[in-house]
Structure formats: structure tokens, C-alpha cells
Amino acid sequence: MNFLSYVVLGGFSYAAGWAIRTYILNKQPAPEQPYNLKHPAILGYLGAFFIIMLIISWMIGRYALGHISLDLPFIIINSIVATFVYSFGLNPEKKSYDVPD
């Protein structure tokens, strides 16, 4: 994969997190415990996205890159990085991720 492919994959990951936060979490009643990266619902979404990315990374490696054998380092690292980018879009604590002035 080239740099542009990783940028596109990161954009899709961020957009998926943003969509979950905007269209699902913000539409629900406010929880007793405020949403942050330690909230059980957020951890569930992160875990589900990581599992989905494991499958997508395997498919990218197998069909797009032509890896005949199971390329575990590629699959795991790609999934971890995509989940990390997803967390930026999912995290409602905007102050934690804002770029300083």
C-alpha cells in the first residue's frame, strides 16, 4: 500500500468514528457516566471496529497486495493504527485532542 492508500483508509476510519459519535451517541440520552475513551460503550465500539479492521486488513493483504500466506504483522499493525485513528473521530472529549494554539 502506498501513502495515499493509508490516508484514504485513515479518512474512512476517522469518518466512521465521527459518524458513530454524531448519529448514534449524540442522539441517545446523556449517560450517567460521561462518554470518554474509558466508557464501556466507547470501548465496545473500539473493540468491534478493531475486529472489523482485522478482517478488512486480511482482505487487503490477501486480495489487494497479493500476500499468499497470513501476514500477521501487517494485519495487526494496520488494524491497530486504523483503530487509533477511529478513536479520534469517536472520542467526544474534543479538548483532549485539540491542537494547541
Side-chain angles (χ1 to χ4, degrees):
M1 288 180 62
N2 58 18
F3 180 73
L4 181 62
S5 300
Y6 281 113
V7 170
V8 170
L9 183 63
F12 284 136
S13 298
Y14 181 84
W18 176 83
I20 294 290
R21 181 178 43 128
T22 303
Y23 296 114
I24 295 177
L25 296 178
N26 287 347
K27 304 261 184 199
Q28 296 177 352
E32 294 175 8
Q33 175 188 357
Y35 288 124
N36 58 22
L37 289 178
K38 295 178 184 175
H39 192 278
I42 300 290
L43 289 175
Y45 282 116
L46 286 172
F49 186 79
F50 180 73
I51 291 170
I52 291 168
M53 278 310 299
L54 285 173
I55 296 167
I56 290 173
S57 296
W58 171 76
M59 290 172 57
I60 288 171
R62 175 77 175 162
Y63 299 109
L65 300 177
H67 299 162
I68 301 301
S69 62
L70 191 63
D71 190 4
L72 282 179
F74 171 77
I75 293 169
I76 292 171
I77 298 295
N78 199 40
S79 299
I80 288 172
V81 171
T83 304
F84 178 71
V85 172
Y86 174 77
S87 74
F88 280 98
L90 186 63
N91 188 15
E93 289 182 336
K94 296 176 188 162
K95 63 183 179 188
S96 299
Y97 287 161
D98 283 344
V99 177
D101 293 333

